[in-house]
C-alpha cells in the first residue's frame, strides 16, 4: 500500500474517531476496517471505488497506532493551529480541514521520515479530494505559516 493510500485511510479514521470519547479511539479505529466497500458514480458515468479497506495486519496496526497517536496529541496540535490561523480558531474550522491540518501537523512534528514539504503537499491533495472549493488554499496557507514560524 502506498504512503498516499495509507494517509487517506488515516485521514478517514481520524475524522471518525473525534466524534467519540477518547477512551473509544482504538475501538473506533478498529471498526473502520469492518466497514463495507463503497462505490460512487463519477460525472462521466464510471463507477469509482471510494472506500475499500483491503490491507494486511502490519498496515492495520500501523494505522491504528498512528490514529491513536494523533488523537492523543489533538490538544497540542490544535494549540499550534490556533496560534497561526488568525480568525479561524479550530472550533470554527470545518471538520474535514481541521482533520487534514491535524494529520499534516502531526507528520511534520512527529514523523522524521516525512519532509515538511511532502506533508503539506499531501494535505493539500487530501483537501482537494475531500474538502470544499477553498479547502486546499486554506490548508496550504495555515501549514505554510507553521513552517515559517519554525
Amino acid at each position: 500500500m502506498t504512503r498516499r493510500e495509507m494517509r487517506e485511510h488515516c485521514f478517514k479514521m481520524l475524522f471518525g474517531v473525534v466524534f467519540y470519547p477518547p477512551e473509544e479511539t482504538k475501538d473506533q479505529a478498529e471498526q473502520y476496517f469492518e466497514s463495507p466497500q463503497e462505490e460512487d458514480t463519477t460525472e462521466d458515468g464510471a463507477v469509482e471505488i471510494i472506500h475499500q479497506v483491503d490491507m494486511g495486519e502490519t498496515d492495520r496496526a500501523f494505522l491504528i497506532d498512528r490514529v491513536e497517536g494523533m488523537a492523543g496529541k489533538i490538544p497540542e496540535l490544535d494549540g499550534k493551529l490556533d496560534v497561526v490561523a488568525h480568525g479561524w480558531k479550530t472550533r470554527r474550522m470545518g471538520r474535514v480541514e481541521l482533520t487534514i491540518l491535524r494529520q499534516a501537523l502531526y507528520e511534520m512534528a512527529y514523523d522524521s521520515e516525512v519532509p515538511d514539504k511532502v506533508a503539506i503537499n499531501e494535505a493539500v491533495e487530501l483537501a482537494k479530494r475531500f474538502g470544499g472549493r477553498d479547502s486546499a488554499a486554506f490548508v496550504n496557507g495555515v501549514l505554510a505559516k507553521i513552517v515559517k514560524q519554525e
Side-chain angles (χ1 to χ4, degrees):
M1 180 166 293
T2 67
R3 294 271 308 193
R4 179 168 279 179
E5 291 169 330
M6 293 289 279
R7 196 172 274 111
E8 185 175 314
H9 284 296
C10 194
F11 159 74
K12 291 177 183 178
M13 292 170 71
L14 185 63
F15 183 87
V17 299
V18 298
F19 292 101
Y20 298 92
E23 60 272 8
E24 292 183 22
T25 298
K26 186 170 186 156
D27 291 337
Q28 290 302 319
E30 288 175 357
Q31 282 186 345
Y32 174 82
F33 299 107
E34 305 305 319
S35 58
Q37 176 176 309
E38 294 180 44
E39 299 174 346
D40 196 9
T41 305
T42 62
E43 290 179 9
D44 62 355
V47 174
E48 174 185 38
I49 295 174
I50 58 172
H51 179 73
Q52 180 179 15
V53 183
D54 185 23
M55 65 183 75
E57 284 302 314
T58 303
D59 289 341
R60 285 179 184 221
F62 172 82
L63 284 171
I64 289 170
D65 288 345
R66 177 60 65 109
V67 170
E68 282 187 292
M70 282 190 256
K73 299 284 186 190
I74 285 176
E76 175 189 328
L77 299 172
D78 287 0
K80 289 181 180 182
L81 292 170
D82 282 338
V83 169
V84 298
H86 302 290
W88 281 101
K89 300 297 182 194
T90 54
R91 68 182 180 276
R92 289 190 59 222
M93 292 180 190
R95 292 293 172 211
V96 169
E97 293 79 11
L98 179 56
T99 303
I100 292 168
L101 288 167
R102 286 171 173 164
Q103 181 172 341
L105 188 54
Y106 181 88
E107 285 185 336
M108 292 163 64
Y110 297 103
D111 191 340
S112 60
E113 293 181 19
V114 179
D116 289 354
K117 287 183 180 183
V118 172
I120 293 170
N121 182 57
E122 292 295 325
V124 169
E125 291 303 315
L126 282 171
K128 287 177 184 176
R129 180 170 166 115
F130 295 103
R133 184 173 44 100
D134 298 326
S135 295
F138 177 74
V139 165
N140 189 48
V142 171
L143 293 174
K145 285 182 182 181
I146 289 172
V147 169
K148 284 182 184 178
Q149 272 192 339
E150 296 176 348

